[in-house]
Amino acid sequence: MIIVLKPEATQADLDYILRRIEEWGLRSHISRGEHRTIIGVIGDEQKLQGRPLTALPGVEQVLPILKPFKLASREFKKTDTVVQVGKVRIGGGSLAMIAGPCAVENYEVLDTIAAAVKAAGANILRGGAFKPRTSPYSFQGLGETGLRILHDIGKKYDMPVVTEVMDPRQVELVNRYADMFQIGARNMQNFDLLREVGRINKPVLLKRGMSATVKDLLLSAEYILSEGNHQVVLCERGVRTFEDSTRNTLDLSAVPNVKGQSHLPIIVDPSHATGRPDLIPAMARAAVAAGADGVHVEVHCAPEKALSDGQQALLPSQYAELMRDLRRLAELFGKYIGPDDTSKTSSQGG
């Protein structure tokens, strides 16, 4: 449910409404727009049955939200959310170019890759320290050592870093080193983990599960939002189908589909979607053309030696060529790729 306040509503009116919502056993989220302040009411709306909400001081109207996801919906917030990761803005016309190896292997390799992707135009560095692998005998990541390396390399090249967190018990540790949490496809419905990152004021990259619908993805985002963290970026990374010539099937329709239903930014990961370096550039270009707020690409200086997913990584030279194409596309569509875009106005308000 949304409570829309009158333009002349005072802070005292707002405080009174918030107290009443809390007394009724519900929670609230405030979104301040240029002309209006709206309150999202979170919880069992049956508790509001029979209560004359329009009689509260400063209330202009009360609107139901029909979507099962409330805070993530366009009904709650009409304007696009912009998520800030270090100096990088994601959404509202600013594109995140996330690049790096699947896993942090050692300082030297990550240093080489980071230097290359930074020179090509990437603005966020990725690398896994904890790796969810199908086989328990595969490389599982370096853990805290990998986090330290990722953090240090990010500082060296002035790039914010994103890395996966797999368990609620890892959140505190990852929070010390990373600028953005990544929730992988296998954990999209790990609700305890979603709640835990929702309690920390740090951006979250939430990947779509391999068998999840767009509705499922948005409901998972709702878990994070409902805990108070509204810095959520969605990621389309392909879904399982009967097609076996690619790792997954990239659902590019998810980009405009999400944007029609939600204010949250969405990026695309063509590396995990296709699993094939020959398909990644075309799918990355298509993602930007479809309206994605960024592209997430795996890059390795020696894919044949990579400890994880080397078969789907681009070489630095291939990534540099791709970035030249993406810059031209961004310009064509009026988008911006860079560490910061001070020419644009933030869209955090409702």
Side-chain angles (χ1 to χ4, degrees), residues 259-296:
K259 285 187 170 293
Q261 299 188 62
S262 176
H263 54 87
L264 297 175
I266 178 170
I267 68 169
V268 170
D269 176 356
S271 297
H272 282 89
T274 66
R276 290 173 49 183
D278 60 315
L279 300 182
I280 290 171
M283 293 298 94
R285 294 191 296 266
V288 173
D293 297 297
V295 178
H296 180 292

PDB file of all heavy atoms in Angstrom, residues 259-296:
ATOM      1  N   LYS A 259      12.010  -3.567 -16.486  1.00  0.00           N
ATOM      2  CA  LYS A 259      11.874  -2.109 -16.451  1.00  0.00           C
ATOM      3  C   LYS A 259      10.417  -1.668 -16.489  1.00  0.00           C
ATOM      4  O   LYS A 259      10.078  -0.593 -15.977  1.00  0.00           O
ATOM      5  CB  LYS A 259      12.668  -1.486 -17.599  1.00  0.00           C
ATOM      6  CG  LYS A 259      14.166  -1.511 -17.341  1.00  0.00           C
ATOM      7  CD  LYS A 259      14.937  -0.758 -18.384  1.00  0.00           C
ATOM      8  CE  LYS A 259      16.382  -0.595 -17.952  1.00  0.00           C
ATOM      9  NZ  LYS A 259      16.557   0.277 -16.776  1.00  0.00           N
ATOM     10  N   GLY A 260       9.551  -2.473 -17.070  1.00  0.00           N
ATOM     11  CA  GLY A 260       8.135  -2.143 -17.059  1.00  0.00           C
ATOM     12  C   GLY A 260       7.482  -2.383 -15.714  1.00  0.00           C
ATOM     13  O   GLY A 260       6.503  -1.718 -15.361  1.00  0.00           O
ATOM     14  N   GLN A 261       8.024  -3.319 -14.956  1.00  0.00           N
ATOM     15  CA  GLN A 261       7.418  -3.689 -13.682  1.00  0.00           C
ATOM     16  C   GLN A 261       8.118  -3.093 -12.464  1.00  0.00           C
ATOM     17  O   GLN A 261       7.519  -3.009 -11.389  1.00  0.00           O
ATOM     18  CB  GLN A 261       7.425  -5.214 -13.533  1.00  0.00           C
ATOM     19  CG  GLN A 261       6.638  -5.957 -14.586  1.00  0.00           C
ATOM     20  CD  GLN A 261       6.541  -7.437 -14.264  1.00  0.00           C
ATOM     21  OE1 GLN A 261       5.981  -7.835 -13.245  1.00  0.00           O
ATOM     22  NE2 GLN A 261       7.109  -8.266 -15.120  1.00  0.00           N
ATOM     23  N   SER A 262       9.396  -2.718 -12.612  1.00  0.00           N
ATOM     24  CA  SER A 262      10.187  -2.308 -11.458  1.00  0.00           C
ATOM     25  C   SER A 262      11.032  -1.090 -11.776  1.00  0.00           C
ATOM     26  O   SER A 262      11.392  -0.839 -12.927  1.00  0.00           O
ATOM     27  CB  SER A 262      11.106  -3.466 -11.025  1.00  0.00           C
ATOM     28  OG  SER A 262      11.966  -3.075  -9.968  1.00  0.00           O
ATOM     29  N   HIS A 263      11.378  -0.339 -10.723  1.00  0.00           N
ATOM     30  CA  HIS A 263      12.242   0.835 -10.847  1.00  0.00           C
ATOM     31  C   HIS A 263      13.713   0.470 -10.676  1.00  0.00           C
ATOM     32  O   HIS A 263      14.591   1.325 -10.845  1.00  0.00           O
ATOM     33  CB  HIS A 263      11.869   1.871  -9.775  1.00  0.00           C
ATOM     34  CG  HIS A 263      11.869   1.321  -8.378  1.00  0.00           C
ATOM     35  ND1 HIS A 263      13.000   1.278  -7.601  1.00  0.00           N
ATOM     36  CD2 HIS A 263      10.870   0.769  -7.630  1.00  0.00           C
ATOM     37  CE1 HIS A 263      12.703   0.743  -6.422  1.00  0.00           C
ATOM     38  NE2 HIS A 263      11.425   0.414  -6.414  1.00  0.00           N
ATOM     39  N   LEU A 264      14.016  -0.788 -10.333  1.00  0.00           N
ATOM     40  CA  LEU A 264      15.393  -1.183 -10.061  1.00  0.00           C
ATOM     41  C   LEU A 264      16.199  -1.308 -11.359  1.00  0.00           C
ATOM     42  O   LEU A 264      15.680  -1.744 -12.376  1.00  0.00           O
ATOM     43  CB  LEU A 264      15.422  -2.528  -9.327  1.00  0.00           C
ATOM     44  CG  LEU A 264      14.774  -2.553  -7.944  1.00  0.00           C
ATOM     45  CD1 LEU A 264      14.768  -3.965  -7.392  1.00  0.00           C
ATOM     46  CD2 LEU A 264      15.490  -1.601  -6.985  1.00  0.00           C
ATOM     47  N   PRO A 265      17.485  -0.955 -11.333  1.00  0.00           N
ATOM     48  CA  PRO A 265      18.321  -1.138 -12.515  1.00  0.00           C
ATOM     49  C   PRO A 265      18.573  -2.619 -12.777  1.00  0.00           C
ATOM     50  O   PRO A 265      18.554  -3.436 -11.850  1.00  0.00           O
ATOM     51  CB  PRO A 265      19.617  -0.402 -12.158  1.00  0.00           C
ATOM     52  CG  PRO A 265      19.639  -0.329 -10.673  1.00  0.00           C
ATOM     53  CD  PRO A 265      18.209  -0.310 -10.221  1.00  0.00           C
ATOM     54  N   ILE A 266      18.818  -2.957 -14.040  1.00  0.00           N
ATOM     55  CA  ILE A 266      19.106  -4.338 -14.408  1.00  0.00           C
ATOM     56  C   ILE A 266      20.256  -4.374 -15.397  1.00  0.00           C
ATOM     57  O   ILE A 266      20.289  -3.584 -16.345  1.00  0.00           O
ATOM     58  CB  ILE A 266      17.864  -5.062 -14.984  1.00  0.00           C
ATOM     59  CG1 ILE A 266      18.224  -6.501 -15.400  1.00  0.00           C
ATOM     60  CG2 ILE A 266      17.225  -4.279 -16.128  1.00  0.00           C
ATOM     61  CD1 ILE A 266      17.024  -7.365 -15.753  1.00  0.00           C
ATOM     62  N   ILE A 267      21.221  -5.257 -15.160  1.00  0.00           N
ATOM     63  CA  ILE A 267      22.334  -5.443 -16.072  1.00  0.00           C
ATOM     64  C   ILE A 267      22.255  -6.858 -16.648  1.00  0.00           C
ATOM     65  O   ILE A 267      21.423  -7.670 -16.217  1.00  0.00           O
ATOM     66  CB  ILE A 267      23.694  -5.218 -15.384  1.00  0.00           C
ATOM     67  CG1 ILE A 267      23.977  -6.318 -14.361  1.00  0.00           C
ATOM     68  CG2 ILE A 267      23.735  -3.845 -14.710  1.00  0.00           C
ATOM     69  CD1 ILE A 267      25.399  -6.313 -13.824  1.00  0.00           C
ATOM     70  N   VAL A 268      23.134  -7.153 -17.609  1.00  0.00           N
ATOM     71  CA  VAL A 268      23.126  -8.460 -18.273  1.00  0.00           C
ATOM     72  C   VAL A 268      24.519  -9.078 -18.195  1.00  0.00           C
ATOM     73  O   VAL A 268      25.528  -8.396 -18.370  1.00  0.00           O
ATOM     74  CB  VAL A 268      22.673  -8.327 -19.741  1.00  0.00           C
ATOM     75  CG1 VAL A 268      22.887  -9.637 -20.501  1.00  0.00           C
ATOM     76  CG2 VAL A 268      21.205  -7.923 -19.804  1.00  0.00           C
ATOM     77  N   ASP A 269      24.554 -10.381 -17.934  1.00  0.00           N
ATOM     78  CA  ASP A 269      25.798 -11.152 -17.886  1.00  0.00           C
ATOM     79  C   ASP A 269      25.800 -12.145 -19.050  1.00  0.00           C
ATOM     80  O   ASP A 269      25.283 -13.264 -18.923  1.00  0.00           O
ATOM     81  CB  ASP A 269      25.895 -11.890 -16.550  1.00  0.00           C
ATOM     82  CG  ASP A 269      27.112 -12.804 -16.450  1.00  0.00           C
ATOM     83  OD1 ASP A 269      27.854 -12.935 -17.444  1.00  0.00           O
ATOM     84  OD2 ASP A 269      27.310 -13.405 -15.382  1.00  0.00           O
ATOM     85  N   PRO A 270      26.373 -11.766 -20.205  1.00  0.00           N
ATOM     86  CA  PRO A 270      26.386 -12.681 -21.347  1.00  0.00           C
ATOM     87  C   PRO A 270      27.413 -13.796 -21.211  1.00  0.00           C
ATOM     88  O   PRO A 270      27.359 -14.774 -21.966  1.00  0.00           O
ATOM     89  CB  PRO A 270      26.717 -11.756 -22.524  1.00  0.00           C
ATOM     90  CG  PRO A 270      27.510 -10.648 -21.920  1.00  0.00           C
ATOM     91  CD  PRO A 270      26.965 -10.460 -20.536  1.00  0.00           C
ATOM     92  N   SER A 271      28.346 -13.681 -20.266  1.00  0.00           N
ATOM     93  CA  SER A 271      29.347 -14.730 -20.076  1.00  0.00           C
ATOM     94  C   SER A 271      28.693 -16.007 -19.548  1.00  0.00           C
ATOM     95  O   SER A 271      28.847 -17.089 -20.121  1.00  0.00           O
ATOM     96  CB  SER A 271      30.435 -14.253 -19.112  1.00  0.00           C
ATOM     97  OG  SER A 271      31.130 -13.144 -19.630  1.00  0.00           O
ATOM     98  N   HIS A 272      27.964 -15.888 -18.425  1.00  0.00           N
ATOM     99  CA  HIS A 272      27.290 -17.056 -17.874  1.00  0.00           C
ATOM    100  C   HIS A 272      26.090 -17.470 -18.725  1.00  0.00           C
ATOM    101  O   HIS A 272      25.712 -18.643 -18.739  1.00  0.00           O
ATOM    102  CB  HIS A 272      26.835 -16.772 -16.441  1.00  0.00           C
ATOM    103  CG  HIS A 272      27.940 -16.847 -15.448  1.00  0.00           C
ATOM    104  ND1 HIS A 272      28.727 -15.760 -15.126  1.00  0.00           N
ATOM    105  CD2 HIS A 272      28.424 -17.882 -14.713  1.00  0.00           C
ATOM    106  CE1 HIS A 272      29.631 -16.119 -14.234  1.00  0.00           C
ATOM    107  NE2 HIS A 272      29.472 -17.395 -13.967  1.00  0.00           N
ATOM    108  N   ALA A 273      25.492 -16.522 -19.416  1.00  0.00           N
ATOM    109  CA  ALA A 273      24.318 -16.843 -20.221  1.00  0.00           C
ATOM    110  C   ALA A 273      24.665 -17.741 -21.398  1.00  0.00           C
ATOM    111  O   ALA A 273      23.945 -18.694 -21.705  1.00  0.00           O
ATOM    112  CB  ALA A 273      23.662 -15.561 -20.716  1.00  0.00           C
ATOM    113  N   THR A 274      25.779 -17.438 -22.068  1.00  0.00           N
ATOM    114  CA  THR A 274      26.128 -18.196 -23.270  1.00  0.00           C
ATOM    115  C   THR A 274      27.222 -19.225 -23.019  1.00  0.00           C
ATOM    116  O   THR A 274      27.230 -20.293 -23.635  1.00  0.00           O
ATOM    117  CB  THR A 274      26.607 -17.259 -24.389  1.00  0.00           C
ATOM    118  OG1 THR A 274      27.842 -16.644 -24.006  1.00  0.00           O
ATOM    119  CG2 THR A 274      25.573 -16.169 -24.668  1.00  0.00           C
ATOM    120  N   GLY A 275      28.179 -18.898 -22.137  1.00  0.00           N
ATOM    121  CA  GLY A 275      29.297 -19.791 -21.913  1.00  0.00           C
ATOM    122  C   GLY A 275      30.256 -19.871 -23.083  1.00  0.00           C
ATOM    123  O   GLY A 275      31.142 -20.729 -23.113  1.00  0.00           O
ATOM    124  N   ARG A 276      30.092 -18.953 -24.059  1.00  0.00           N
ATOM    125  CA  ARG A 276      30.891 -19.011 -25.284  1.00  0.00           C
ATOM    126  C   ARG A 276      31.436 -17.628 -25.633  1.00  0.00           C
ATOM    127  O   ARG A 276      30.658 -16.702 -25.897  1.00  0.00           O
ATOM    128  CB  ARG A 276      30.038 -19.534 -26.444  1.00  0.00           C
ATOM    129  CG  ARG A 276      29.684 -21.001 -26.320  1.00  0.00           C
ATOM    130  CD  ARG A 276      28.711 -21.444 -27.391  1.00  0.00           C
ATOM    131  NE  ARG A 276      29.107 -21.028 -28.730  1.00  0.00           N
ATOM    132  CZ  ARG A 276      28.378 -21.242 -29.836  1.00  0.00           C
ATOM    133  NH1 ARG A 276      27.223 -21.898 -29.733  1.00  0.00           N
ATOM    134  NH2 ARG A 276      28.800 -20.828 -31.010  1.00  0.00           N
ATOM    135  N   PRO A 277      32.763 -17.486 -25.667  1.00  0.00           N
ATOM    136  CA  PRO A 277      33.355 -16.179 -25.982  1.00  0.00           C
ATOM    137  C   PRO A 277      32.938 -15.631 -27.341  1.00  0.00           C
ATOM    138  O   PRO A 277      32.866 -14.414 -27.506  1.00  0.00           O
ATOM    139  CB  PRO A 277      34.862 -16.464 -25.947  1.00  0.00           C
ATOM    140  CG  PRO A 277      35.010 -17.648 -25.062  1.00  0.00           C
ATOM    141  CD  PRO A 277      33.786 -18.479 -25.301  1.00  0.00           C
ATOM    142  N   ASP A 278      32.641 -16.516 -28.309  1.00  0.00           N
ATOM    143  CA  ASP A 278      32.257 -16.032 -29.636  1.00  0.00           C
ATOM    144  C   ASP A 278      30.884 -15.382 -29.640  1.00  0.00           C
ATOM    145  O   ASP A 278      30.564 -14.590 -30.541  1.00  0.00           O
ATOM    146  CB  ASP A 278      32.296 -17.169 -30.666  1.00  0.00           C
ATOM    147  CG  ASP A 278      31.351 -18.313 -30.315  1.00  0.00           C
ATOM    148  OD1 ASP A 278      31.333 -18.730 -29.135  1.00  0.00           O
ATOM    149  OD2 ASP A 278      30.640 -18.799 -31.213  1.00  0.00           O
ATOM    150  N   LEU A 279      30.058 -15.683 -28.627  1.00  0.00           N
ATOM    151  CA  LEU A 279      28.707 -15.117 -28.557  1.00  0.00           C
ATOM    152  C   LEU A 279      28.613 -13.913 -27.619  1.00  0.00           C
ATOM    153  O   LEU A 279      27.649 -13.145 -27.692  1.00  0.00           O
ATOM    154  CB  LEU A 279      27.704 -16.177 -28.096  1.00  0.00           C
ATOM    155  CG  LEU A 279      27.567 -17.435 -28.966  1.00  0.00           C
ATOM    156  CD1 LEU A 279      26.505 -18.352 -28.386  1.00  0.00           C
ATOM    157  CD2 LEU A 279      27.239 -17.072 -30.405  1.00  0.00           C
ATOM    158  N   ILE A 280      29.589 -13.767 -26.747  1.00  0.00           N
ATOM    159  CA  ILE A 280      29.515 -12.715 -25.731  1.00  0.00           C
ATOM    160  C   ILE A 280      29.413 -11.310 -26.324  1.00  0.00           C
ATOM    161  O   ILE A 280      28.549 -10.525 -25.908  1.00  0.00           O
ATOM    162  CB  ILE A 280      30.707 -12.822 -24.758  1.00  0.00           C
ATOM    163  CG1 ILE A 280      30.552 -14.067 -23.888  1.00  0.00           C
ATOM    164  CG2 ILE A 280      30.818 -11.582 -23.875  1.00  0.00           C
ATOM    165  CD1 ILE A 280      31.776 -14.390 -23.053  1.00  0.00           C
ATOM    166  N   PRO A 281      30.255 -10.918 -27.311  1.00  0.00           N
ATOM    167  CA  PRO A 281      30.163  -9.546 -27.829  1.00  0.00           C
ATOM    168  C   PRO A 281      28.789  -9.211 -28.411  1.00  0.00           C
ATOM    169  O   PRO A 281      28.242  -8.137 -28.128  1.00  0.00           O
ATOM    170  CB  PRO A 281      31.254  -9.509 -28.904  1.00  0.00           C
ATOM    171  CG  PRO A 281      32.242 -10.539 -28.461  1.00  0.00           C
ATOM    172  CD  PRO A 281      31.418 -11.636 -27.883  1.00  0.00           C
ATOM    173  N   ALA A 282      28.223 -10.110 -29.205  1.00  0.00           N
ATOM    174  CA  ALA A 282      26.913  -9.837 -29.808  1.00  0.00           C
ATOM    175  C   ALA A 282      25.842  -9.692 -28.745  1.00  0.00           C
ATOM    176  O   ALA A 282      24.976  -8.807 -28.818  1.00  0.00           O
ATOM    177  CB  ALA A 282      26.536 -10.957 -30.791  1.00  0.00           C
ATOM    178  N   MET A 283      25.872 -10.548 -27.722  1.00  0.00           N
ATOM    179  CA  MET A 283      24.864 -10.488 -26.672  1.00  0.00           C
ATOM    180  C   MET A 283      25.057  -9.268 -25.768  1.00  0.00           C
ATOM    181  O   MET A 283      24.082  -8.710 -25.252  1.00  0.00           O
ATOM    182  CB  MET A 283      24.878 -11.772 -25.839  1.00  0.00           C
ATOM    183  CG  MET A 283      24.436 -13.009 -26.605  1.00  0.00           C
ATOM    184  SD  MET A 283      22.707 -12.896 -27.212  1.00  0.00           S
ATOM    185  CE  MET A 283      22.939 -12.262 -28.872  1.00  0.00           C
ATOM    186  N   ALA A 284      26.316  -8.845 -25.583  1.00  0.00           N
ATOM    187  CA  ALA A 284      26.570  -7.632 -24.802  1.00  0.00           C
ATOM    188  C   ALA A 284      26.021  -6.408 -25.527  1.00  0.00           C
ATOM    189  O   ALA A 284      25.394  -5.527 -24.922  1.00  0.00           O
ATOM    190  CB  ALA A 284      28.064  -7.479 -24.546  1.00  0.00           C
ATOM    191  N   ARG A 285      26.258  -6.354 -26.849  1.00  0.00           N
ATOM    192  CA  ARG A 285      25.713  -5.233 -27.630  1.00  0.00           C
ATOM    193  C   ARG A 285      24.189  -5.246 -27.616  1.00  0.00           C
ATOM    194  O   ARG A 285      23.547  -4.193 -27.473  1.00  0.00           O
ATOM    195  CB  ARG A 285      26.240  -5.304 -29.063  1.00  0.00           C
ATOM    196  CG  ARG A 285      27.743  -5.096 -29.193  1.00  0.00           C
ATOM    197  CD  ARG A 285      28.167  -4.916 -30.640  1.00  0.00           C
ATOM    198  NE  ARG A 285      27.913  -6.106 -31.447  1.00  0.00           N
ATOM    199  CZ  ARG A 285      28.810  -7.069 -31.689  1.00  0.00           C
ATOM    200  NH1 ARG A 285      30.031  -6.972 -31.164  1.00  0.00           N
ATOM    201  NH2 ARG A 285      28.514  -8.099 -32.441  1.00  0.00           N
ATOM    202  N   ALA A 286      23.617  -6.436 -27.731  1.00  0.00           N
ATOM    203  CA  ALA A 286      22.156  -6.552 -27.722  1.00  0.00           C
ATOM    204  C   ALA A 286      21.581  -6.129 -26.378  1.00  0.00           C
ATOM    205  O   ALA A 286      20.496  -5.544 -26.305  1.00  0.00           O
ATOM    206  CB  ALA A 286      21.746  -7.988 -28.043  1.00  0.00           C
ATOM    207  N   ALA A 287      22.309  -6.415 -25.299  1.00  0.00           N
ATOM    208  CA  ALA A 287      21.839  -6.043 -23.962  1.00  0.00           C
ATOM    209  C   ALA A 287      21.728  -4.530 -23.820  1.00  0.00           C
ATOM    210  O   ALA A 287      20.732  -4.008 -23.304  1.00  0.00           O
ATOM    211  CB  ALA A 287      22.786  -6.604 -22.901  1.00  0.00           C
ATOM    212  N   VAL A 288      22.755  -3.805 -24.283  1.00  0.00           N
ATOM    213  CA  VAL A 288      22.710  -2.342 -24.213  1.00  0.00           C
ATOM    214  C   VAL A 288      21.584  -1.808 -25.094  1.00  0.00           C
ATOM    215  O   VAL A 288      20.853  -0.895 -24.703  1.00  0.00           O
ATOM    216  CB  VAL A 288      24.077  -1.747 -24.620  1.00  0.00           C
ATOM    217  CG1 VAL A 288      23.992  -0.223 -24.709  1.00  0.00           C
ATOM    218  CG2 VAL A 288      25.142  -2.149 -23.608  1.00  0.00           C
ATOM    219  N   ALA A 289      21.419  -2.403 -26.266  1.00  0.00           N
ATOM    220  CA  ALA A 289      20.347  -1.968 -27.166  1.00  0.00           C
ATOM    221  C   ALA A 289      18.971  -2.233 -26.558  1.00  0.00           C
ATOM    222  O   ALA A 289      18.017  -1.479 -26.810  1.00  0.00           O
ATOM    223  CB  ALA A 289      20.475  -2.681 -28.515  1.00  0.00           C
ATOM    224  N   ALA A 290      18.853  -3.284 -25.754  1.00  0.00           N
ATOM    225  CA  ALA A 290      17.570  -3.618 -25.118  1.00  0.00           C
ATOM    226  C   ALA A 290      17.258  -2.715 -23.936  1.00  0.00           C
ATOM    227  O   ALA A 290      16.154  -2.770 -23.394  1.00  0.00           O
ATOM    228  CB  ALA A 290      17.575  -5.082 -24.674  1.00  0.00           C
ATOM    229  N   GLY A 291      18.238  -1.915 -23.498  1.00  0.00           N
ATOM    230  CA  GLY A 291      17.998  -0.982 -22.397  1.00  0.00           C
ATOM    231  C   GLY A 291      18.649  -1.352 -21.090  1.00  0.00           C
ATOM    232  O   GLY A 291      18.350  -0.741 -20.056  1.00  0.00           O
ATOM    233  N   ALA A 292      19.558  -2.339 -21.107  1.00  0.00           N
ATOM    234  CA  ALA A 292      20.224  -2.749 -19.867  1.00  0.00           C
ATOM    235  C   ALA A 292      21.052  -1.600 -19.299  1.00  0.00           C
ATOM    236  O   ALA A 292      21.553  -0.745 -20.033  1.00  0.00           O
ATOM    237  CB  ALA A 292      21.111  -3.964 -20.120  1.00  0.00           C
ATOM    238  N   ASP A 293      21.218  -1.620 -17.988  1.00  0.00           N
ATOM    239  CA  ASP A 293      21.974  -0.579 -17.285  1.00  0.00           C
ATOM    240  C   ASP A 293      23.437  -0.961 -17.094  1.00  0.00           C
ATOM    241  O   ASP A 293      24.159  -0.317 -16.329  1.00  0.00           O
ATOM    242  CB  ASP A 293      21.338  -0.307 -15.920  1.00  0.00           C
ATOM    243  CG  ASP A 293      19.925   0.230 -16.057  1.00  0.00           C
ATOM    244  OD1 ASP A 293      19.768   1.319 -16.626  1.00  0.00           O
ATOM    245  OD2 ASP A 293      18.990  -0.457 -15.599  1.00  0.00           O
ATOM    246  N   GLY A 294      23.875  -1.979 -17.808  1.00  0.00           N
ATOM    247  CA  GLY A 294      25.266  -2.374 -17.721  1.00  0.00           C
ATOM    248  C   GLY A 294      25.474  -3.774 -18.248  1.00  0.00           C
ATOM    249  O   GLY A 294      24.517  -4.490 -18.564  1.00  0.00           O
ATOM    250  N   VAL A 295      26.736  -4.167 -18.337  1.00  0.00           N
ATOM    251  CA  VAL A 295      27.115  -5.489 -18.836  1.00  0.00           C
ATOM    252  C   VAL A 295      28.195  -6.060 -17.926  1.00  0.00           C
ATOM    253  O   VAL A 295      29.120  -5.354 -17.519  1.00  0.00           O
ATOM    254  CB  VAL A 295      27.628  -5.405 -20.291  1.00  0.00           C
ATOM    255  CG1 VAL A 295      28.070  -6.774 -20.784  1.00  0.00           C
ATOM    256  CG2 VAL A 295      26.548  -4.844 -21.217  1.00  0.00           C
ATOM    257  N   HIS A 296      28.066  -7.327 -17.623  1.00  0.00           N
ATOM    258  CA  HIS A 296      28.954  -8.048 -16.708  1.00  0.00           C
ATOM    259  C   HIS A 296      29.681  -9.109 -17.527  1.00  0.00           C
ATOM    260  O   HIS A 296      29.054 -10.049 -18.021  1.00  0.00           O
ATOM    261  CB  HIS A 296      28.074  -8.669 -15.620  1.00  0.00           C
ATOM    262  CG  HIS A 296      28.776  -9.448 -14.568  1.00  0.00           C
ATOM    263  ND1 HIS A 296      29.419 -10.639 -14.802  1.00  0.00           N
ATOM    264  CD2 HIS A 296      28.901  -9.226 -13.235  1.00  0.00           C
ATOM    265  CE1 HIS A 296      29.914 -11.111 -13.681  1.00  0.00           C
ATOM    266  NE2 HIS A 296      29.601 -10.279 -12.703  1.00  0.00           N
TER     267      HIS A 296
END
